[in-house]
Amino acid sequence: MCVSTAAPVTAAQGTGHAPAARAQGLTKAYGSGDTRVVALDAVDVSVTGGEFVAIMGPSGSGKSTLMHCMAGLDTASAGQIWIGGSEITALKDKHLTQLRRDKIGFVFQAFNLLPTLTALENITLPMDIAGARADQDWLDQVIDTVGLRERLSHRPGELSGGQQQRVACARALASCPEIIFADEPTGNLDSRAGAEVLAFLRRSVSEMGQTIVMVTHDPVAASYADRVVFLADGRVVDELTGPTAGSVLDRMGQFDGAGRRS
Ligand code: ADP
């Protein structure tokens, strides 16, 4: 298992796991004056180490903005964000870049693989750039879990969409990040390939102790998570533990466009 720095708190300490990521009073506004848009309005979210959280909500509700701010890809207008014990809203650019590289894994809808590198080279690229050596046992475990051993010497153009996204997932996991942020990871996949990727993400949490935050608009994708956080109009309006596709769909139907229960 990958040893995360968001180490479990012992039972004697009473609170289960320490947060792997947390936002408090997170506000993000774009533009100013008449064109000012409040994308996030004092959002409080906490993600426990070893938890798989899905962020859902209508288009424009702030899902991507929340993910980008929590992952340190965008800056907050107000509020605080922590990754593990580090408050990223207090970090200067250089340290933020370092923290993103060392502690955060990313999976994007568009795979973002380098076409000239093989699957294996893509998987180890972030560590190669950081000058870090991959732990071979861990790398083997990741490669076997994503079922890519036979494809390691293939370039992305020789792989299906589902295989490419599994390479991207393996790349995110390979360096044992404290947390993985996944932005619509199945958005470009058919339902079968999507199910494979989601099953892999689920296993990486259940069997490898990974922590994942996934933005999705798909109730089936959200049903793989431990908890769903619902956003509307830049606010957290509800959450659901132990979701099923049906219960997520039901809950979404209870909100009107303004984010209130109808
Ligand atoms: P979602 O991911 O739920 O579709 P977003 O986080 O992309 O929502 O957007 C939330 C709100 O912020 C929307 O009203 C969107 O138009 C606005 N927004 C997002 N990014 C920008 C930007 N770079 N400039 C101006 N407005 C933005």
Side-chain angles (χ1 to χ4, degrees):
M1 177 174 294
C2 194
V3 181
S4 161
T5 48
V9 177
T10 62
Q13 290 169 284
T15 50
H17 288 66
R22 188 156 76 89
Q24 190 176 310
L26 172 57
T27 298
K28 176 69 183 180
Y30 293 104
S32 59
D34 286 351
T35 59
R36 188 167 188 266
V37 174
V38 178
L40 295 174
D41 187 3
V43 167
D44 296 331
V45 175
S46 184
V47 180
T48 303
E51 190 183 25
F52 188 174
V53 175
I55 310 281
M56 291 202 82
S59 180
S61 58
K63 301 183 295 296
S64 300
T65 305
L66 177 60
M67 198 199 98
H68 288 153
C69 288
M70 289 191 78
L73 294 170
D74 202 350
T75 54
S77 305
Q80 292 166 289
I81 300 163
W82 291 264
I83 295 291
S86 309
E87 187 196 336
I88 65 168
T89 31
L91 293 180
K92 297 264 184 291
D93 272 359
K94 186 178 150 205
H95 290 116
L96 184 58
T97 304
Q98 209 168 9
L99 179 137
R100 263 202 315 263
R101 194 188 65 198
D102 296 343
K103 297 198 172 176
I104 302 179
F106 293 97
V107 180
F108 298 99
Q109 181 172 346
F111 317 144
N112 290 11
L113 301 177
L114 285 185
T116 54
L117 300 185
T118 64
L120 181 60
E121 288 164 346
N122 267 289
I123 291 169
T124 58
L125 181 66
M127 283 177 292
D128 294 341
I129 290 173
R133 261 177 66 89
D135 177 316
Q136 194 56 48
D137 288 346
W138 173 248
L139 200 55
D140 280 340
Q141 192 184 339
V142 169
I143 288 165
D144 287 335
T145 309
V146 290
L148 283 167
R149 190 155 294 284
E150 310 302 315
R151 298 276 190 283
L152 288 179
S153 58
H154 290 55
R155 293 201 162 73
E158 300 162 335
L159 299 172
S160 69
Q163 288 167 340
Q164 289 183 58
Q165 193 61 308
R166 284 191 273 146
V167 172
C169 290
R171 177 181 59 187
L173 268 168
S175 60
C176 288
E178 199 151 309
I179 186 164
I180 289 177
F181 289 97
D183 194 357
E184 298 275 9
T186 56
N188 278 341
L189 303 177
D190 61 37
S191 57
R192 185 160 159 255
E196 279 171 15
V197 165
L198 289 163
F200 166 62
L201 291 176
R202 178 68 253 171
R203 275 208 307 283
S204 73
V205 171
S206 305
E207 296 169 16
M208 300 168 161
Q210 188 57 61
T211 308
I212 298 179
V213 175
M214 172 179 73
V215 166
T216 182
H217 66 272
D218 175 6
V220 173
S223 71
Y224 286 76
D226 298 308
R227 183 161 61 101
V228 182
V229 173
F230 294 92
L231 288 184
D233 286 344
R235 295 194 175 146
V236 174
V237 289
D238 207 350
E239 65 173 55
L240 191 60
T241 304
T244 63
S247 64
V248 172
L249 205 56
D250 263 9
R251 199 62 66 98
M252 282 167 72
Q254 288 175 19
F255 298 101
D256 63 22
R260 294 179 294 270
R261 273 182 195 272
S262 53

